[in-house]
Amino acid sequence: MGAAVFWGCAAIAFGPAAALVLLTVAAEPLRVIVLVAGAFFWLLSLLAASLLWFVSVQLSGREDAALLLLGAAAAVLLQELSRFACFKMLKKADEGLATLSEDGQSPISLRQMAYVSGLSFGIISGVFSITNILADSAGPGTVGIHGDSPYYFITSAFLTMALVLLHTFWGIIFFDACERRRAGGLGLVVGSHLLTSGLTFLNPWYEATVGPILILTLCTGLWAFGTAGGSFRNVLKCLSCKQQPEGQVMLCSALQVPPEE
């Protein structure tokens, strides 16, 4: 039973991320490099948050709920600061790649970098948030035996999946806002990140946590889809599986037989 819970929760938490990596990242070396770079910047934010927490505990001599809330908020702000540093580095890398290319264009666009870096932020964040939970889910023991909620593991898996997707969407929106210098977009990303982190403090009242976070994930995904240039028309074209040769449209008049002279 423990193995089934472990693999089931792992598949829920990292299944969508693994599919995205295999289908959109693994075959492109530059995207793999961006993926690793994004994970490195998130780890830097984790290191800074850990040092800040250690110093705060040592100076205050306590670990109450108020200090925990402040620590979570500081960790969110440090993550977004690291995302901005990642944007600046990738922006410089994009300009350098464009200079080195023969046609003057970078082989990877800034939007692709935003997507891959956001995905890497989500994956590494999810790994650190659920690793210990997955280790406990493998057993021995039975969750809820002392009257606690039996949905702890599966709820944690869905929250981790939402966090991975949210970081992916936040990366797209954040990079676009930085590129266009839109302070409103940056504020909404930071605000939604703080809201998501704050909602987790309502656990184990899972009805007030899972539902709002999944709704926020859906809304943020639609926002990121529109920011990346997506539209409902493009979705219909994708589902119809119709491809135009070399991006050109063939008119019906071009298929008519020319008149005889």
Side-chain angles (χ1 to χ4, degrees):
M1 183 64 182
V5 174
F6 173 86
W7 290 111
C9 292
I12 293 173
F14 297 109
L20 291 174
V21 170
L22 292 175
L23 295 176
T24 62
V25 178
E28 298 290 337
L30 286 177
R31 296 182 187 180
V32 174
I33 295 174
V34 174
L35 189 76
V36 176
F40 173 75
F41 275 94
W42 188 90
L43 288 173
L44 288 180
S45 71
L46 177 64
L47 176 61
S50 301
L51 292 175
L52 181 61
W53 173 257
F54 177 78
V55 172
S56 301
V57 171
Q58 293 299 319
L59 293 178
S60 63
R62 58 190 178 88
E63 297 183 27
D64 54 6
L67 186 61
L68 186 60
L69 283 170
L70 291 176
V76 169
L77 295 178
L78 286 172
Q79 287 181 46
E80 297 305 328
L81 185 62
S82 296
R83 199 192 305 274
F84 179 74
C86 184
F87 163 77
K88 298 296 289 186
M89 187 203 70
L90 293 178
K91 180 70 174 177
K92 291 292 184 180
D94 181 65
E95 295 174 356
L97 290 173
T99 304
L100 295 175
S101 63
E102 296 180 355
D103 56 357
Q105 295 182 352
S106 175
I108 179 171
S109 66
L110 190 62
R111 283 183 176 178
Q112 292 173 345
M113 290 182 179
Y115 157 71
V116 177
S117 65
L119 182 60
S120 66
F121 265 63
I123 291 174
I124 194 67
S125 177
V127 167
F128 273 83
S129 65
I130 204 174
T131 297
N132 291 333
I133 297 175
L134 289 178
D136 291 337
S137 69
T142 303
V143 63
I145 195 171
H146 295 296
D148 298 325
S149 174
Y151 304 110
Y152 173 68
F153 291 132
I154 191 169
T155 301
S156 300
F158 275 107
L159 289 178
T160 302
M161 178 193 68
L163 182 64
V164 174
L165 295 176
L166 277 171
H167 269 292
T168 305
F169 303 147
W170 285 331
I172 297 172
I173 299 168
F174 191 93
F175 276 46
D176 181 77
C178 290
E179 181 70 14
R180 300 175 184 269
R181 298 187 178 183
R182 294 178 176 175
L186 296 177
L188 288 174
V189 169
V190 176
S192 60
H193 197 170
L194 288 171
L195 175 62
T196 303
S197 180
L199 286 173
T200 59
F201 283 91
L202 298 177
N203 290 331
W205 187 20
Y206 298 128
E207 296 84 354
T209 303
V210 180
I213 289 180
L214 291 179
I215 293 174
L216 180 63
T217 303
L218 178 61
C219 295
T220 309
L222 294 175
W223 183 17
F225 179 71
T227 300
S231 64
F232 183 69
R233 182 179 181 182
N234 293 337
V235 174
L236 293 179
K237 287 183 178 180
C238 179
L239 294 177
S240 64
C241 298
K242 293 181 180 180
Q243 296 182 354
Q244 300 293 343
E246 299 182 358
Q248 297 180 352
V249 180
M250 183 175 292
L251 300 176
C252 295
S253 59
L255 301 177
Q256 298 177 358
V257 180
E260 296 181 359
E261 296 180 357

